[in-house]
Amino acid sequence: MNAVLNVTKSLSGQTWQWRSTSADARDPGFQPDDLVTQLLLARGATRETLEINRDPTIRGFMPDPSVFQDMDVAAERLAKAVLNQDNVTVFGDYDVDGATSAALLIRLFRDLGLEAGYYIPDRLMEGYGPSGEALVMLGQQGSDLVVTVDCGAMAFDALDMAHAAGVEVIVVDHHKCAAELPKASALVNPNRLDESDAGAEHGHLAAVGMAFLLGAALVRNLRGKGFFKDRTEPKLLELLDIVALGTVADVAQLRGLNRAFVAQGLKILAGRKNVGLAALIDASRLKRAPICSDLGFALGPRINAGGRVGKSDLGVRLLTTQDPEEAQKISAELDHFNQERRAIEAHVLEQAEAMCSSQQNQAVAVLSAKGWHPGVIGIVAGRIKEKLGRPAIIIAEDDDGIGKGSGRSISGVDLGAAIIAAKDQGLLIAGGGHAMAAGVTIEASKIDAFSEFLNDRLADTVGTAQAGKALLLDAVLSPKGVNPLFVEAMDGAGPYGMGWPAPRIAAGPVRIIKCDIVGKDHVRMIVAGDDGGSIKTIAFRAAESDLGQALLSAPKNRKLWIAGRAKIDDWGSRPAAEIHLEDAAWAD
């Protein structure tokens, strides 16, 4: 395959390739409608599905919930709970997906006339997932039914304890499953190994997406029982703002139904009907309706902050409250916790980066230390993964010799499956996850053996993934072509996210007018082309990278091609386009 602009080795050592291999995708002279079509096709849409992908709706992508194993069983039991006014507790994970999943079901139950309780475990004291002690306690406190969301798929011991104590549990999850399933009244999970093809097709859904489908199945079940003859049906679509937040924050792939969840959820979010989310938008200092990236970088981290360094139930409380004053108070608290989280994260990241040299020959970087805060290890793992270009697991050891770890992977490497295999080998106390993210509990004495196991299992896979790495481009423009009109046209193929990547463009040739470091290690440039166009760019966390060093020392008269994501900069008196720089290459 010919390299784009003949770039076979960029300043960061990559080749540049077209995302799409069709000839018309390489024509930089598209009109906006043609551009959107090509962007859709390059992301996996077929010509037959162009229209539903151009305007992703729930109707266009919604499956029949009954295609999933145990879905009808779970819906029937929940319908019974609503009709009998059972005491129901929703047990959610402490992250955004768990909080949004729990909040969605609680709000739906409320609309159906049932006030459900909730239980969110403390990340530091209880760890991930349901414990047997917590489930038994809920039963002793009067819960007739516990619904776990975003956890439970691998909770064998906990569900055994609950079953022995007579506590009825429904599991709603999306994480990897073993061949054997834990004891539960129903286990709804598209990643069950015995799932039908129609159900497994939706294995990329976050737990909140599965909770939405369960909600649809529940409403349908109650409709069939005549429940709505004298009352209004709940408006499930009005809960899509919560679904969108959980889906994006959990880095679920934005294809198919997930894209519809996010596209429609952003519309609901703009209406500010959920007083908790409205307060969180204000606390995040957003002056416009949130866009997809805001869910992942502004709203999501604040919801997560409660579980990371503060109170694990704050997210659910915020998303379910109907009191604007309470919502404002909780949002302010979450914003404060998020600031604390950033400081803790920076400290752990600095120490982890200093240890990276010891992992040069490992397929998966496994870094551990005592004193690291377990609430930030997932974020740090993501940063280390970006720095090294391979999977990373960060483990926080406690004084009792037990480590809690969080891992992040690269495209093409299924980290969750490797973690489950390590648990089966007796290397872990607990572990699970999905392809791109996973968690572990491990004895500190077994960390080295665990690292060796991952290296042996994933070395070839990681090597293949790294060898095939290339910067994928969607268009090449002249400097003047990088303007707000073009950026807005590209938005027509959104929303973008994991699995449906935002367009990446190349522009040039350009000369560097100014290049310096801003913040801690961001490289900022102003470049100009021979056509009179100029572009502002910024390369985040790049000052010490090969790319950053090359740009900072580049001769001012030498021409470059630049590549990255085009964004709208609306800080000035009028909007302008800028590029979040990911790579560059000499043009002469």
Side-chain angles (χ1 to χ4, degrees):
M1 184 183 296
N2 293 330
V4 177
L5 302 171
N6 295 318
V7 176
T8 56
K9 187 174 182 181
S10 67
L11 295 184
S12 64
Q14 299 183 92
T15 181
W16 290 4
Q17 301 287 353
W18 291 111
R19 190 182 306 278
S20 174
T21 57
S22 63
D24 52 357
R26 299 196 294 270
D27 180 359
F30 285 131
Q31 295 301 312
D33 285 346
D34 293 325
L35 173 64
V36 170
T37 297
Q38 293 305 320
L39 291 175
L40 293 172
L41 291 172
R43 279 150 188 78
T46 64
R47 294 202 177 274
E48 292 73 25
T49 62
L50 275 176
E51 292 312 308
I52 61 170
N53 276 290
R54 196 182 299 276
D55 180 21
T57 63
I58 304 301
R59 182 185 297 274
F61 288 98
M62 181 85 167
D64 180 346
S66 295
V67 303
F68 296 95
Q69 296 277 14
D70 281 2
M71 181 68 82
D72 289 338
V73 176
E76 177 64 27
R77 180 60 185 92
L78 292 181
K80 177 183 174 183
V82 171
L83 294 170
N84 295 343
Q85 288 292 293
D86 286 344
N87 189 328
V88 177
T89 300
V90 181
F91 189 112
D93 187 26
Y94 39 66
D95 69 0
V96 183
D97 194 17
T100 52
S101 301
L104 183 145
L105 291 181
I106 290 167
R107 291 177 71 95
L108 176 58
F109 287 142
R110 182 188 297 161
D111 289 343
L112 294 170
L114 177 68
E115 286 296 330
Y118 60 84
Y119 186 94
I120 309 296
D122 183 278
R123 179 192 290 262
L124 303 181
M125 302 301 295
E126 299 176 79
Y128 169 77
S131 66
E133 292 79 8
L135 294 175
V136 171
M137 177 194 69
L138 292 174
Q140 291 172 342
Q141 292 176 348
S143 291
D144 300 306
L145 175 66
V146 177
V147 184
T148 73
V149 289
D150 196 31
C151 57
M154 297 288 288
F156 292 95
D157 293 342
L159 293 179
D160 279 347
M161 284 184 64
H163 181 76
V167 180
E168 191 174 3
V169 180
I170 290 174
V171 174
V172 182
D173 204 352
H174 70 129
H175 292 101
K176 295 278 186 180
C177 291
E180 181 185 354
L181 297 175
K183 290 178 181 176
S185 295
L187 196 154
V188 180
N189 185 333
N191 290 304
R192 286 175 54 153
L193 296 183
D194 62 346
E195 187 56 83
S196 67
D197 290 343
E201 179 184 337
H202 297 279
H204 61 292
L205 295 184
V208 71
M210 294 306 298
F212 180 87
L213 293 175
L214 176 58
L218 170 58
V219 170
R220 183 174 63 183
N221 185 295
L222 289 170
R223 187 187 305 126
K225 290 178 165 55
F227 185 73
F228 300 113
K229 286 182 179 178
D230 56 357
R231 63 186 299 153
T232 304
E233 282 196 22
K235 297 179 180 178
L236 264 176
L237 295 183
E238 292 189 355
L239 298 175
L240 287 175
D241 50 1
I242 295 177
V243 181
L245 174 58
T247 297
V248 174
D250 209 53
V251 203
Q253 292 190 26
L254 293 196
R255 54 185 175 84
L257 183 57
N258 276 345
R259 274 190 76 233
F261 281 152
V262 175
Q264 302 307 316
L266 287 171
K267 296 176 184 178
I268 302 296
L269 192 60
R272 298 171 65 97
K273 292 184 178 181
N274 184 308
V275 297
L277 283 174
L280 192 65
I281 291 169
D282 293 338
S284 302
R285 292 167 282 283
L286 293 174
K287 303 302 182 184
R288 46 160 173 73
I291 59 177
C292 189
S293 59
D294 294 327
L295 303 182
F297 295 103
L299 305 186
R302 286 171 170 81
I303 294 284
N304 253 337
R308 292 189 187 281
V309 296
K311 302 173 184 176
S312 60
D313 67 343
L314 282 181
V316 174
R317 285 175 53 197
L318 178 70
L319 296 172
T320 57
T321 186
Q322 296 172 300
D323 181 353
E325 186 174 335
E326 181 186 23
Q328 186 176 23
K329 180 180 178 181
I330 294 173
S331 293
E333 196 170 0
L334 286 172
D335 188 53
H336 173 71
F337 283 142
N338 193 48
Q339 294 177 33
E340 286 188 5
R341 184 271 303 168
R342 287 176 175 171
I344 295 170
E345 174 196 331
H347 174 69
V348 175
L349 178 61
E350 183 179 4
Q351 293 186 340
E353 286 181 331
M355 300 167 64
C356 283
S357 59
S358 66
Q359 299 289 308
Q360 288 181 349
N361 298 319
Q362 297 297 309
V364 179
V366 179
L367 306 172
S368 64
K370 285 186 177 180
W372 284 353
H373 197 298
V376 301
I377 54 177
I379 303 174
V380 173
R383 299 287 193 213
I384 296 298
K385 177 204 75 172
E386 293 173 4
K387 179 182 180 70
L388 300 180
R390 47 198 163 92
I393 297 176
I394 305 298
I395 300 174
E397 301 175 37
D398 63 22
D399 293 334
D400 297 323
I402 301 299
K404 295 291 180 66
S406 187
R408 298 294 183 269
S409 193
I410 61 175
S411 181
V413 180
D414 190 337
L415 186 60
I419 294 298
I420 292 175
K423 183 176 183 300
D424 291 341
Q425 291 292 316
L427 293 170
L428 304 175
I429 298 171
H434 46 80
M436 299 300 290
V440 302
T441 303
I442 185 172
E443 295 175 21
S445 60
K446 293 185 177 181
I447 291 176
D448 287 344
F450 172 57
S451 179
E452 290 179 12
F453 173 85
L454 291 179
N455 187 61
D456 292 342
R457 180 183 176 91
L458 296 177
D460 290 344
T461 307
V462 171
T464 300
Q466 290 178 323
K469 184 182 178 184
L471 194 76
L472 301 181
L473 295 169
D474 292 282
V476 176
L477 290 86
S478 67
K480 271 193 173 180
V482 183
N483 55 56
L485 180 63
F486 184 82
V487 177
E488 289 167 3
M490 290 194 299
D491 288 343
Y496 299 107
M498 177 63 68
W500 198 268
R504 185 184 288 117
I505 67 168
V510 295
R511 301 182 311 279
I512 298 175
I513 304 301
K514 179 181 180 182
C515 184
D516 58 6
I517 297 175
V518 294
K520 182 182 178 182
D521 56 356
H522 310 313
V523 176
R524 177 181 59 183
M525 285 198 309
I526 298 176
V527 298
D530 292 339
D531 64 352
S534 64
I535 310 169
K536 289 196 300 183
T537 76
I538 185 164
F540 294 105
R541 296 182 296 276
E544 296 182 7
S545 69
D546 291 342
L547 171 64
Q549 289 296 304
L551 294 175
L552 289 165
S553 61
K556 292 293 189 291
N557 60 346
R558 191 167 185 188
K559 292 184 178 180
L560 287 164
W561 293 105
I562 57 174
R565 316 281 188 181
K567 305 287 185 179
I568 296 292
D569 175 13
D570 52 12
W571 284 100
S573 57
R574 60 179 183 176
E578 64 179 13
I579 291 180
H580 289 185
L581 195 70
E582 297 178 70
D583 207 352
W586 302 121
D588 50 21

